Amino acid sequence: MAKKASKSKPKATSTKKKNPFKISKKNKIILGSLLVLFSIALFFSFVSFYFTWEHDQSLLTEFKNRNEEAKNLLNKFGASISHFFVYKGFGIATLIIPFLLCLTGIYMFLGLDKKGLAKKWIWGLLFLVWFSIAFGFFAVESPLLGGLVGYEMNDFLQDYTGKIGVLLLLVFGLIFILVRLFDVTPEGVAEFFKSKRNELSADFKRSKPSDNPENIDDEITVSNEDGAQVLVDTYTHKEEIPHLAKDEDEFKVTVPKEEEEELAMEVEQIVEEPEEIDILASKLVDDFGEFDPTLELGNYKFPTIDLLDAHGVSGGITINQEELEENKDKIVETLKNYKIGIAQIKATIGPTVTLYEIVPDAGIRISKIKNLEDDIALSLAALGIRIIAPIPGKGTIGIEVPNKNATVVSMRSVIASSKFQKAEMELPIAFGKTISNETFVVDLAKMPHLLMAGATGQGKSVGLNAVLTSLLYKKHPAEVKFILVDPKKVELTLYNKIERHFLAKLPDSEEAIITDNTKVINTLNSLCIEMDNRYELLKLAMVRNLKEYNTKFKARKLNPNDGHKYLPYIVLVIDEFADLIMTAGKEVETPIARLAQLARAIGIHLIVATQRPSVNVITGIIKANFPARIAFRVTSKIDSRTILDAQGADQLIGRGDMLYTQGNDVTRIQCAFVDTPEVAKITEYIGSQRAYPEAHELPEYVGEDSGTSVDYDIEDRDKMFREAAEVIVIAQQGSASLIQRKLKLGYNRAGRIIDQLEAAGIVGAFEGSKARQVLIPDMASLQQLLDNEGL
């Protein structure tokens, strides 16, 4: 037994063998440091690849040539490995690889436990694939972002599932990552937003202004040099602007008594003999001249060009010959790679974009060049490439390429141009400069309405200021009036200073610039009444449009005693149309559509701007009556088609770059830049001059559903008044639709009952799209009210 035991001992020790794959501590330190340094080298190679790939791409085949030098931070090695991992691999997501290698090296260098390292690699590779596919899907125009893997995987998946299927897969992948890796739950998301809302609510309460009446004074009183007290406008800090003389004698034309009696006799004769109107009108014009609508503000001075800034640009466009030749060569080379020959190429330089016009060789299909838009953009490494195939009216194909150094188009240069100064238009608007550096001027009266759209921060507000500035520099206050709708309450406030010169508003309205949705609805409906009144005047005058009417009135062929008067143009500007549609819906859309269809002939023109050009905001009726459209940069091709009925707006470069169409050709324009201080100087210059006593008043409008002007007698109340009152009080919801459903009534009858309930003090006033407030808390109070009235 002892022998057996002794024999067995060496057997046991012989089974313990050394692990040949085990790395010593020293080797771990060496290998770990190598991985860290290698990951840093990869990181700098990948990053610099995005700036040098264009130059280094041609050197990939010359790797063995020592004389050739790449611009990559790691020279030819960096260019080659970056080309493999970034271009042929996963795009910008490749930066995850050096991160994972660096993490592995740190683990080895410090001798850490590798238990969690495998998990990090799995998640890292998952992120690598997801980001590559995501960039390949969303950034189709920039192939370097998703790499060849992202592009090919998108192409493969879309062949089987389509774009929506790929998008759903990406969303599922994102949800999987958020839930498994970051422990995101619906309850956690809801709690996060709830806490943020509570924080904002607390901040709002803390920052609420005090009720000190001294803070809301509209005017302050100071003493001038003579010791007399003078009212000072707290907004402009100027002394009170003088009104017109009350008697206005200085503007009246005095007529001798004998001539006055003779005129009266001739006017009576006109009533009996209409054919004599032209003879009398000629006599009046000979004696007193044509009627001058500007006479009331005869000393009005138009804004001077000095109020606008040059924005650092004194001359024209600076031509970069090197950039021009470089882009030409790259376009020719790219097309040559696809066996497309070019017979001729020339460049037209604009302020922000250069147009390269090419004439392809005979037999080349235009669609083949159009499909190379992304490839040309890749070779030029530029955003906003746009191909016009063919250019309307020319036998050439246009390729628009953004300039590396854009030139700011100042409003001063546009206003000072001879094209704008000599424009014989009713309502001239200078938008900016075209791609051929020509000032672009159009007539709003011929548009006749303008639809403007673009993403946030792309230039819509500057575009609206350019429109208003153009009209202020060209038109007298008697010739045009603005109705400004500003739901954001901050974009158009500067025009408050010219209220009594250029603005129109509802009677008894305190603010000229409309920010409240209820007032917007009333203003639009008031404008519809104004439209109907003007059409009646045109019918009586036997003319077809406002221009003919005013010409006839100036020639003294229309009698003011019959209600005729000089009619100024009215321009309605809505800064954010989507917000109005969301809050007021059909109550805004209906009068807008009516004005868009009918108002063009009587001088009412609409300018509607929105940052969300979706089909539920810009409906078919609105689009049909807004042939003139402006698109600043939008986020998707769908938005571009919605606003322009064509692609292109999603490829603009922003900062005032826009496309204009009036139903036929699309013109690319760099919008003129007018800064807020410039607008402030213009409005202050106008506002400091003699003004009309009040802003131009629109016809009074009382909402049909408001019930405020109707006082129903108890005898005239509906038979179901009491039942309706009980329904409203029990539900504590004051709406006509509730009465319709509960009592099975028609809409008109329910509307009359709701007006009667308001007159009785049971429900509150009309509040737009909101339900009316119920003023009676319970049935006992209702019974007491009805008993007091004897019901």
Side-chain angles (χ1 to χ4, degrees), residues 11-147:
K11 261 186 187 179
T13 55
S14 64
T15 56
K16 287 187 178 180
K17 296 181 180 179
K18 279 193 173 182
N19 185 2
F21 299 103
K22 190 174 182 182
I23 305 172
S24 66
K25 187 177 181 180
K26 290 181 180 179
N27 289 337
K28 281 184 180 179
I29 294 171
I30 294 169
L31 188 57
S33 60
L34 178 63
L35 284 174
V36 171
L37 295 173
F38 182 64
S39 66
I40 294 171
L42 285 180
F43 176 78
F44 283 111
S45 299
F46 295 162
V47 172
S48 63
F49 174 77
Y50 279 92
F51 301 95
T52 61
W53 68 270
E54 196 176 352
H55 176 271
D56 296 346
Q57 200 169 22
S58 60
L59 302 177
L60 295 175
T61 57
E62 304 291 335
F63 188 81
K64 296 178 182 177
N65 189 348
R66 293 183 62 181
N67 295 325
E68 293 291 342
E69 189 170 334
K71 287 190 176 181
N72 193 288
L73 290 177
L74 270 77
N75 211 324
K76 290 193 285 290
F77 169 77
S80 300
I81 200 167
S82 298
H83 180 78
F84 178 78
F85 278 105
V86 179
Y87 183 77
K88 291 188 174 181
F90 302 93
I92 200 168
T94 311
L95 291 171
I96 294 172
I97 293 175
F99 171 76
L100 292 173
L101 288 174
C102 183
L103 198 64
T104 306
I106 291 170
Y107 266 74
M108 295 183 73
F109 187 85
L110 299 176
L112 301 174
D113 187 12
K114 299 177 188 173
K115 190 179 285 184
L117 189 60
K119 186 180 177 183
K120 288 180 173 61
W121 268 91
I122 292 169
W123 280 110
L125 294 175
L126 185 63
F127 271 114
L128 182 74
V129 175
W130 188 88
F131 275 115
S132 179
I133 296 172
F135 279 119
F137 180 80
F138 290 106
V140 181
E141 296 174 3
S142 304
L144 287 177
L145 292 177

Side-chain angles (χ1 to χ4, degrees), residues 326-337:
E326 185 181 355
N327 286 342
K328 275 186 183 179
D329 294 339
K330 286 177 181 176
I331 291 170
V332 172
E333 186 181 353
T334 304
L335 295 175
K336 190 178 179 183
N337 292 338

